[in-house]
Amino acid sequence: MLERCKYIELKRMIRDEIENGKYVSTPLEGRREMAVRYHTTTATCNKAVKELIREGVLYTIPGKGTFQHPRYGSEIRSLHIWIPTLESFFYSRLAQKISRIAKEYNYTRVTINMNRLFPNSEPEIIAAQLEDPNADICMYSIYDPRTIKVLLKHPERVVLLRSGDIELDGKIDRAQIPRYLGEKMSVEYLIRNGHRRIFCISTNPLNIPEQDGYTQALLEHGIPLNRKLKTVLPKWDDSESSERKRMIEECVHRYLRFKNRPSAVFCYTNEVASMFLTACLKAGVRVPEDLSIAAYEGSAMPETGIYQITSAGPELAETLRILLQRLSSRKIKSYSNFTFNIEMLEGNTVRNINVK
């Protein structure tokens, strides 16, 4: 019987047969015959074969069938990138950046995997990917604690873009993205431009002051905290686009109700900032003349008309190159923790109100 993730177990069985040279000159049998032999469904067989084709293990010759890829096991090197979702601008940008840099280190195939699509089978999928000796993994987040044990079986072939996890210290290469420092840098940019009454739109439901760059920036500059000036969108990551739009419209209405309106707003993501900017313009609020907007994620998104969001975030390229170079060499005898540098990208959404 096949295990819970049937197509993954089937991929493993087919790969074992490939390693024994079965499909070099002989094509795979039809999906119906395969389903009978493995006691599963044609849909499961089809999914397993399609994934093996996408990973470069198999290839199809029209009119002849599906065979072992002639370059499998030699020239093909795969990098599997794991991020929570592609719906977030930051995760999408991160995956694109890693994919481009991976080509510099002779990765011939890059796949993007999303944890949220496989919440119950993450360890099994990663274990299957690591069965390919020419495959490496770069992970932004881990959803299932069991995944850690899987990764530690091949630490020389894994890079984590996350901190924490004491059990991983010195056992795997990791790079931390100090988000709160980016948030703090963005808010401090507003403060340097004369803004002291700053409205904050947070997507962090934990709301821990010590890990909140907005709070830290205000305290360090002697600006009293005002809980009315901060709103938290706790279900942002799990919300549909229509629900997100509604939440942003409520934030704009809240801003408009202030008798003494804030001169600036800080948003925890570029997406929130872009949507808030659009809603403000529809409400007749001028940016940056009436309201300055800054965010975190490190890219001045040019998606809202002529505007580019002023934003702080990690400078990805330099550290990613270090990590992928170490990963691709596979000659690491000791493992290290790295930290991404934070940079400020100045768009056109912040006005210096110190200048008269």
Side-chain angles (χ1 to χ4, degrees):
M1 293 296 292
L2 301 183
E3 63 181 30
R4 180 178 57 184
C5 297
K6 293 183 178 180
Y7 85 96
I8 295 176
E9 179 63 17
L10 180 55
K11 282 175 60 180
R12 184 179 295 120
M13 291 180 176
I14 296 173
R15 194 188 291 271
D16 288 343
E17 292 181 332
I18 290 171
E19 295 293 339
N20 292 325
K22 182 173 181 179
Y23 299 117
V24 174
S25 57
T26 302
L28 270 72
E29 66 264 58
R31 304 299 182 267
R32 290 182 180 178
E33 293 86 348
M34 187 181 294
V36 171
R37 183 157 69 93
Y38 288 110
H39 306 289
T40 185
T41 66
T42 55
T44 297
C45 294
N46 199 43
K47 184 174 183 180
V49 171
K50 281 186 175 180
E51 288 236 346
L52 289 170
I53 291 174
R54 181 171 64 87
E55 294 172 7
V57 178
L58 299 172
Y59 80 123
T60 298
I61 301 176
K64 293 187 177 180
T66 302
F67 301 81
Q68 174 186 332
H69 198 289
R71 291 184 298 170
Y72 172 67
S74 55
E75 298 179 18
I76 294 179
R77 299 185 62 233
S78 300
L79 179 66
H80 300 289
I81 302 170
W82 281 82
I83 56 175
T85 177
L86 275 173
E87 294 180 1
S88 163
F89 174 77
F90 174 74
Y91 297 139
S92 175
R93 172 173 171 259
L94 176 66
Q96 291 173 3
K97 181 74 72 172
I98 296 173
S99 298
R100 287 196 295 268
I101 295 176
K103 295 179 181 178
E104 300 175 17
Y105 296 95
N106 301 317
Y107 286 103
T108 51
R109 176 172 294 99
V110 177
T111 68
I112 298 174
N113 310 267
M114 290 165 278
N115 310 68
R116 291 180 187 171
L117 295 180
F118 310 102
N120 300 317
S121 54
E122 178 187 272
E124 290 84 359
I125 295 174
I126 291 173
Q129 291 174 340
L130 288 173
E131 283 188 359
D132 178 0
N134 292 310
D136 296 329
I137 286 181
C138 179
M139 295 196 72
Y140 181 83
S141 58
I142 296 174
Y143 273 42
D144 192 322
R146 296 177 299 156
T147 298
I148 292 178
K149 291 184 178 180
V150 175
L151 298 178
L152 286 177
K153 291 180 180 179
H154 304 280
E156 76 286 356
R157 293 163 54 194
V158 178
V159 164
L160 291 179
L161 305 183
R162 63 185 267 143
S163 57
D165 305 317
I166 297 176
E167 67 269 32
L168 293 177
D169 283 348
K171 298 178 181 179
I172 208 163
D173 271 344
R174 292 187 295 180
Q176 176 186 8
I177 298 178
R179 181 185 177 95
Y180 82 97
L181 291 180
E183 297 166 357
K184 185 170 177 284
M185 179 182 289
S186 189
V187 176
E188 286 179 335
Y189 183 85
L190 291 172
I191 294 172
R192 289 198 305 272
N193 280 276
H195 302 279
R196 295 183 67 83
R197 188 169 169 80
I198 303 171
F199 184 45
C200 175
I201 305 176
S202 170
T203 57
N204 180 10
L206 297 179
N207 202 23
I208 302 173
E210 295 78 12
Q211 300 176 9
D212 179 20
Y214 169 77
T215 299
Q216 293 299 313
L218 296 184
L219 291 175
E220 290 186 14
H221 289 81
I223 301 175
L225 293 175
N226 184 341
R227 62 182 180 84
K228 293 182 179 180
L229 290 179
K230 185 173 184 179
T231 184
V232 179
L233 310 176
K235 297 182 180 180
W236 180 264
D237 289 341
D238 299 322
S239 300
E240 300 292 335
S241 57
S242 59
E243 178 65 12
R244 291 185 176 187
K245 182 178 179 182
R246 185 193 63 77
M247 287 191 282
I248 293 298
E249 289 174 348
E250 288 183 359
C251 290
V252 173
H253 292 326
R254 180 173 177 177
Y255 161 75
L256 293 174
R257 287 196 298 269
F258 284 112
K259 291 182 179 180
N260 179 20
R261 289 182 184 173
S263 61
V265 61
F266 167 69
C267 301
Y268 270 47
T269 73
N270 289 72
E271 180 187 20
V272 170
S274 181
M275 294 178 68
F276 187 82
L277 170 58
T278 300
C280 281
L281 296 177
K282 290 181 179 179
V285 179
R286 298 175 301 167
V287 178
E289 292 82 5
D290 300 329
L291 177 69
S292 291
I293 297 177
Y296 168 83
E297 272 185 355
S299 181
M301 294 175 66
E303 298 180 5
T304 307
I306 63 172
Y307 291 97
Q308 292 183 322
I309 305 296
T310 299
S311 180
E315 196 291 306
L316 298 173
E318 180 180 353
T319 303
L320 287 176
R321 283 193 171 89
I322 293 173
L323 293 171
L324 291 181
Q325 192 279 326
R326 289 169 63 88
L327 185 64
S328 63
S329 69
R330 296 191 180 180
K331 297 180 180 179
I332 305 167
K333 295 183 179 180
S334 61
Y335 298 95
S336 303
N337 292 333
F338 300 85
T339 300
F340 286 88
N341 293 324
I342 300 295
E343 62 180 351
M344 191 77 207
L345 297 179
E346 300 182 13
N348 59 355
T349 58
V350 173
R351 181 170 71 96
N352 189 336
I353 60 178
N354 289 320
V355 179
K356 296 183 179 179

